[in-house]
Amino acid sequence: MSSHAIEISLLGRTYSIACPKGQERALQHVAQQLEVQLISLKTRTNNLSREEIAIMAALNTGYELLEEQQKNKDYNKQMDEKIGLLQATLENALVERSIKED
């Protein structure tokens, strides 16, 4: 898949970022969300450098991702349990039906 550069702006600086074709909107959306987070962090912590603000934003995003991954893992576990219960119920119903037919 080919890529090309698009420009995004974060904390007043413009960056040229390589982006796969067709993914421009997604990258711009992520950049906008990051900009909001960076501005919020800068407002709350005036004495931090750009680098420190970026590190805090990366840690926040990493933590949010970890939380979502855990939720997804928990959801998948619940679905596996429900599927197992459904399979067992169906198997029991089929066994009971075959016993009644004999």
Side-chain angles (χ1 to χ4, degrees):
M1 179 178 269
S2 63
S3 66
H4 64 284
I6 67 167
E7 290 188 352
I8 61 169
S9 180
L10 300 170
L11 292 180
R13 286 195 183 166
T14 301
Y15 300 90
S16 183
I17 307 292
C19 179
K21 287 192 180 196
Q23 298 298 313
E24 298 88 356
R25 281 189 182 178
L27 180 57
Q28 289 170 340
H29 180 73
V30 169
Q32 288 170 352
Q33 288 182 318
L34 178 57
E35 175 74 353
V36 168
Q37 188 176 17
L38 291 171
I39 290 170
S40 174
L41 287 168
K42 186 177 180 181
T43 301
R44 288 184 283 155
T45 56
N46 247 351
N47 57 343
L48 294 182
S49 69
R50 284 179 186 269
E51 181 180 87
E52 291 168 324
I53 292 169
I55 289 170
M56 286 183 67
L59 288 171
N60 287 340
T61 301
Y63 179 73
E64 290 170 5
L65 176 61
L66 186 64
E67 281 186 317
E68 290 302 316
Q69 288 173 334
Q70 186 60 48
K71 286 179 190 176
N72 191 26
K73 185 178 176 182
D74 292 344
Y75 176 79
N76 286 336
K77 183 179 176 186
Q78 288 176 351
M79 289 300 106
D80 287 344
E81 290 170 359
K82 288 179 180 182
I83 289 169
L85 178 60
L86 181 59
Q87 286 174 331
T89 302
L90 288 172
E91 288 171 5
N92 288 337
L94 289 172
V95 167
E96 288 177 20
R97 182 176 180 189
S98 69
I99 291 172
K100 287 180 183 178
E101 289 178 355
D102 289 340

